[in-house]
Amino acid sequence: QVQLVESGGGLVQAGGSLRLSCAVSGGTFSRYDMAWFRQAPGKEREFVACVRKSGSRPYHADSLKGRFTISRENAKSMVFLQMNSLKPEDTAVYYCAASSSTILSTIGRSSAYAYWGQGTQVTVSS
């Protein structure tokens, strides 16, 4: 039974930074592709970033490149999302997700991920 727990969310003013963490248990972390999604009120859940189990080049949503960076530490079974230059429109619940089997064309689809955390709220004030 794979479990994911996010942490690090909170309130930050525009232009600030925040680092989210996701701890994974119940599985072999190195075998999972890891991703971050977010969902704002009234919006569909959207892809933020993904780092594959191979540790190869991570992928970020085009609109977030340069501000958000995903990384993983296999020894700690954790994945992180560094968020810089935050904007009010970044306000959302951020979710960590894991998949044991994805292909490149599906990494941005929520349906590709079998395991999800409960989410952590990020609020950016202006």
Side-chain angles (χ1 to χ4, degrees), residues 40-113:
K43 302 290 185 180
E44 295 290 326
R45 186 168 297 186
E46 66 174 334
F47 173 74
V48 173
C50 171
V51 58
R52 308 199 75 183
K53 55 191 175 185
S54 65
S56 59
R57 191 194 101 215
Y59 298 85
H60 301 82
D62 288 341
S63 62
L64 302 176
K65 288 181 179 178
R67 295 196 300 119
F68 287 19
T69 303
I70 190 172
S71 61
R72 66 190 296 160
E73 294 185 22
N74 285 354
K76 296 181 178 180
S77 297
M78 296 186 73
V79 63
F80 306 93
L81 183 68
Q82 179 67 47
M83 305 184 293
N84 299 323
S85 301
L86 284 163
K87 305 174 181 179
E89 51 262 46
D90 295 321
T91 295
V93 176
Y94 284 71
Y95 297 91
C96 181
S99 174
S100 61
S101 181
T102 59
I103 59 175
L104 187 61
S105 62
T106 65
I107 59 172
R109 303 175 186 173
S110 60
S111 60
Y113 299 87

